[in-house]
């Protein structure tokens, strides 16, 4: 019993004093840049997180963001659109209620293949009769902004 207690004591004290207080990151790449007085340190990987405990102290290691400043956030305009019926059997009606400008519609399948593209103004009817049952992505594009909708076609 004394041998087990002695072994555990030695291992735990060796563990406490063997901890490194340096920052460590498991990463495949990283670097540091200075541009106009601004320093950026970056890594591509995961931060090593751990706790080191000794006689009378505990240190937690992990991610630390010293300073972040957001100067502006662009508000994305959302349009009031009616899109029906969804799920559908053969067509989708699109009614941009408060939008009167020209817009583009794009329809994609689940692999990203562009199936349909059209320029429209006002209400539109998109024919889906030629498509098999499945999930499709419809993009509404206007004023350099995109709104995306999931369309389900089933019979």
């Amino acid at each position: 019993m004394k041998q087990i207690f002695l072994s555990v004591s030695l291992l735990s004290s060796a563990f406490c004093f063997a901890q490194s207080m340096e920052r460590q990151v498991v990463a495949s790449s990283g670097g540091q840049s200075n541009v106009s007085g601004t320093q950026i340190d970056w890594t591509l990987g995961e931060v090593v997180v751990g706790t080191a405990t000794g006689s009378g102290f505990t240190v937690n290691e992990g991610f630390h963001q010293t300073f972040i400043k957001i100067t502006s956030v662009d508000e994305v305009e959302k349009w009031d659109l009616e899109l029906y019926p969804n799920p559908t059997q053969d067509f989708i009606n699109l009614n941009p209620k408060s939008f009167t400008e020209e817009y583009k519609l794009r329809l994609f399948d689940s692999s990203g293949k562009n199936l349909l593209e059209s320029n429209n103004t006002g209400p539109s009817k998109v024919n889906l009769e030629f498509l098999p049952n499945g999930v499709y992505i419809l993009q509404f594009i206007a004023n350099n902004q995109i709104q995306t909708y999931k369309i389900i076609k089933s019979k």
Side-chain angles (χ1 to χ4, degrees):
M1 185 66 151
K2 284 185 181 182
Q3 285 180 326
I4 294 174
F5 179 76
L6 183 60
S7 298
V8 170
S9 297
L10 287 173
L11 286 175
S12 64
S13 57
F15 177 76
C16 288
F17 291 108
Q19 293 293 315
S20 171
M21 295 298 133
E22 297 176 29
R23 296 185 324 187
Q24 298 176 0
V25 176
V26 178
S28 59
S29 184
Q32 180 183 44
S33 299
N34 287 307
V35 177
S36 302
T38 302
Q39 178 178 329
I40 297 174
D41 295 311
W42 61 275
T43 53
L44 183 62
E46 294 189 26
V47 177
V48 175
V49 178
T51 301
T53 306
S55 57
F57 70 90
T58 300
V59 176
N60 291 314
E61 266 187 302
F63 177 14
H64 177 67
Q65 178 70 48
T66 57
F67 178 74
I68 187 165
K69 180 179 179 182
I70 299 173
T71 56
S72 70
V73 175
D74 293 332
E75 289 292 325
V76 177
E77 181 181 354
K78 292 287 186 182
W79 300 290
D80 186 16
L81 301 175
E82 282 184 339
L83 184 71
Y84 61 93
N86 193 13
T88 185
Q89 292 184 4
D90 49 10
F91 64 90
I92 289 288
N93 289 308
L94 181 74
N95 183 14
K97 289 181 165 185
S98 60
F99 189 80
T100 57
E101 300 171 35
E102 184 178 53
Y103 59 91
K104 182 182 283 191
L105 291 178
R106 288 185 184 153
L107 185 70
F108 299 92
D109 66 9
S110 59
S111 70
K113 181 180 177 187
N114 191 346
L115 303 172
L116 179 89
E117 193 167 313
S118 66
N119 292 321
N120 304 294
T121 54
S124 303
K125 187 173 188 174
V126 181
N127 184 4
L128 304 177
E129 289 178 315
F130 67 98
L131 297 173
N133 291 345
V135 177
Y136 298 91
I137 302 298
L138 181 70
Q139 287 184 337
F140 179 89
I141 305 163
N143 298 335
N144 295 323
Q145 294 181 25
I146 300 173
Q147 281 186 221
T148 305
Y149 301 91
K150 179 171 74 170
I151 307 298
I152 299 171
K153 181 174 182 214
S154 62
K155 292 208 179 205

